[in-house]
Amino acid sequence: MEEVSLVNAPESIENPYFKDLDSYIFKSSISIYSHDLSGILVIKKLSNTSCRVAFTTEFGNTLLDMTVTPTGYEKHFAIQKLDRKVILKTLAKDIRALTANDLTAKKAFRQGEKEVLMGNLNKFQLYYFFKLGRLKQILKTTKNKEKLKIQFSFDEVGQLNLINLAHEGIALNIQLRPID
């Protein structure tokens, strides 16, 4: 990767898919260890740094309800399969990384056609990969170890149709398909 001067790079990093204080609704599936759960995931941004997350079955039964804050979370409800501190903490960190906005750009790189911006979120580094001005991927790392890869996929007309959150080191994968 060739490093690009921050003078030419944006001063802040914005995730265009979660920039508004709004509700975002997804058809979702979560695979965690040997458990597969699917339903509707709603993310309601309360501010640029906090949001309320509700995960329900398609029939409306609540599987998870929590508020994600800048440094933690508050559980309102979780089914037994999800009600473990390590799982809730990991899900909160994932949602925080997914919805983070207005991060200060610390570094900028160019990798072929991709522009890469790096910002800090708590003790993690988030690398935002843009191609032709469109956010394609976010990598969450500690030092040199990758923790989470968030990939954005688009349909043939350029609409976001899939967000995939894949973990390194633990058996947790989340797929989100936007519902209009």
Side-chain angles (χ1 to χ4, degrees), residues 1-4 8 108-116:
M1 283 192 262
E2 86 181 58
E3 193 163 336
V4 177
N8 299 328
F109 306 91
R110 190 161 306 285
Q111 184 182 43
E113 295 179 353
K114 295 179 184 171
E115 181 178 305
V116 183

Side-chain angles (χ1 to χ4, degrees), residues 3 17 19 32 41 50 71 84 88 102 127 131 138 171 173 177:
E3 193 163 336
Y17 313 120
K19 66 181 179 181
I32 186 157
L41 182 78
S50 64
T71 57
R84 293 189 174 82
L88 295 174
D102 296 328
Y127 291 88
K131 185 175 180 182
I138 301 172
N173 189 51
R177 294 187 184 281

